[in-house]
Amino acid sequence: MTLTTLLLVALSAAQATPSTDAPRDAATVTAPPLVPTPEACPATAEADYTEGFDALVDGRDEEALEAFQRTLAACPQHPYATELVRLTRARLAPGGRLAQAAVSELGPEGRSDAGLAAMTVVQTLHGAAQGVLLCAIADCSGQGYAAASLLGAGAGAAATLLLAREDGVTSGQAAVINSGTIWGFWFGVSSLLALDLGGDDAIGAAMLGGAGFTGVGILLATTVRPTSGQVSMANSGGLWTGVVTALLLATSDSDDSKTFFAVELGATAVGIASLAALSTQVPVSRGRMLIIDAGGILGGLLGATATFIVAGDDAGDSILVGSAAGVLSGLGLATYLSRDFDVRGAPQAVLTPTLLGRDGAGVALLGRF
């Protein structure tokens, strides 16, 4: 056998011998070990998760995000916290906030033709009243009163339509301007009675009150841009504070009208300012405020009726006190019972563009069910 033949035989034998490093048949390969089941999260993590979920449902997104992050810090393998962190961050993004505003009835108000119509009517009457008062100072004749009222009404209507001809007005803007006019006349008349003014000074106080507070309303409408619900809350604060104060002051035997109207001025001013400040923190609709006002009316009637039934003809001032207590009770009860009033009419779902994940674009779905 030659050397070449011997080498070929050796190579053949080596190829026929199976190598120990070659892969085995697929049927004989053992499965990789299973990933161990993650351990249960500690109680503190579950408590943080529950707190975050409740905050998310209530719309307190910042608090929810902090709670979910604490949950992941204590339990990184939590099955739901990671996704809820992403959801909360999406809600905090500008697109998510737009979706929340679209779902809520209390979001930014748009142009309102009804609001413009209401403002035109009120300011037309305001102009007519200012014309009559001015003519009273000027000691006009009968024809002069008619002409002044007509010119004033036309000026009020024209000014309203000219100011709103481009962008229009929202219902909240119209409400705050009209409310300024009405409260202005109230403060003007109360001031002349509190200061015991007479003649032209009394008429001037009424004119100044109406015109001055209308100007304040225009300033608020163009800068603060309140909603109709916020204006309604402020109006209710002034109305019911004045009513309750008047009922309690009426129980006094004093006939000092100057003190009565001075106290009424202060009470209504405090009521308007307090509820106006509160309306910036507690969203409310005009419809809910009407429900609350109805509660105050029914409460006052019920309080007066119940006091009269119990005390009879000798009730006297007790009826006034009972009515005041009924007003406060009715307002409080109506406020509590209507706590979910603004949620019912919201749309079921809103889809809006937003930023999700790591600088990625997507959509946010938000709704009430």
Side-chain angles (χ1 to χ4, degrees):
M1 183 179 293
T2 64
L3 180 59
T4 302
T5 305
L6 188 60
L7 289 174
L8 290 173
V9 172
L11 289 173
S12 300
Q15 290 178 355
T17 303
S19 173
T20 57
D21 296 333
R24 301 179 183 178
D25 185 77
T28 63
V29 176
T30 59
L34 296 174
V35 178
T37 304
E39 298 179 0
C41 295
T44 55
E46 290 298 332
D48 287 333
Y49 172 76
T50 302
E51 178 184 347
F53 187 84
D54 292 339
L56 188 66
V57 171
D58 293 339
R60 295 177 281 114
D61 297 334
E62 292 85 356
E63 298 179 21
L65 181 59
E66 293 177 0
F68 290 141
Q69 288 175 336
R70 292 196 303 269
T71 302
L72 289 177
C75 182
Q77 72 274 15
H78 195 282
Y80 309 117
T82 302
E83 293 302 321
L84 287 180
V85 165
R86 293 186 61 185
L87 172 62
T88 308
R89 286 175 175 166
R91 285 176 52 153
L92 288 171
R97 293 190 179 278
L98 285 174
Q100 285 181 307
V103 169
S104 176
E105 290 182 344
L106 309 178
E109 293 180 336
R111 176 173 177 168
S112 172
D113 292 336
L116 177 59
M119 188 171 69
T120 302
V121 171
V122 173
Q123 296 310 315
T124 298
L125 295 175
H126 178 207
Q130 291 286 4
V132 171
L133 292 175
L134 182 61
C135 208
I137 294 177
D139 197 15
C140 297
S141 63
Q143 292 86 349
Y145 275 102
S149 62
L150 180 60
L151 291 175
T160 301
L161 296 175
L162 287 175
L163 289 174
R165 69 183 184 277
E166 294 183 0
D167 299 329
V169 295
T170 66
S171 57
Q173 288 176 312
V176 73
I177 293 173
N178 289 342
S179 298
T181 300
I182 296 171
W183 283 115
F185 276 110
W186 157 250
F187 282 117
V189 172
S190 297
S191 296
L192 70 89
L193 293 173
L195 299 175
D196 196 18
L197 300 178
D200 293 345
D201 292 336
I203 299 174
M207 294 180 63
L208 181 62
F213 277 83
T214 300
V216 172
I218 294 174
L219 179 63
L220 293 174
T222 55
T223 56
V224 180
R225 296 178 65 90
T227 65
S228 58
Q230 290 175 323
V231 178
S232 295
M233 180 180 283
N235 287 338
S236 295
L239 171 65
W240 293 114
T241 303
V243 168
V244 172
T245 302
L247 289 172
L248 296 179
L249 288 176
T251 60
S252 173
D253 294 332
S254 175
D255 295 331
D256 188 357
S257 61
K258 293 192 295 184
T259 301
F260 178 88
F261 283 101
V263 174
E264 278 290 288
L265 271 174
T268 52
V270 170
I272 292 172
S274 300
L275 271 293
L278 181 63
S279 68
T280 62
Q281 304 299 322
V282 181
V284 67
S285 68
R286 185 179 181 184
R288 186 187 177 196
M289 287 310 306
L290 291 175
I291 295 295
I292 294 174
D293 291 338
I297 296 172
L298 291 175
L301 293 175
L302 181 61
T305 303
T307 304
F308 179 74
I309 292 175
V310 173
D313 295 334
D314 298 330
D317 293 340
S318 299
I319 294 180
L320 300 176
V321 176
S323 181
V327 166
L328 295 176
S329 301
L331 291 174
L333 182 60
T335 300
Y336 175 75
L337 293 178
S338 64
R339 62 190 182 278
D340 296 327
F341 180 85
D342 293 329
V343 178
R344 298 174 183 171
Q348 289 188 347
V350 170
L351 196 66
T352 183
T354 187
L355 296 177
L356 297 172
R358 298 180 179 177
D359 300 328
V363 292
L365 178 65
L366 191 69
R368 286 193 175 97
F369 303 93

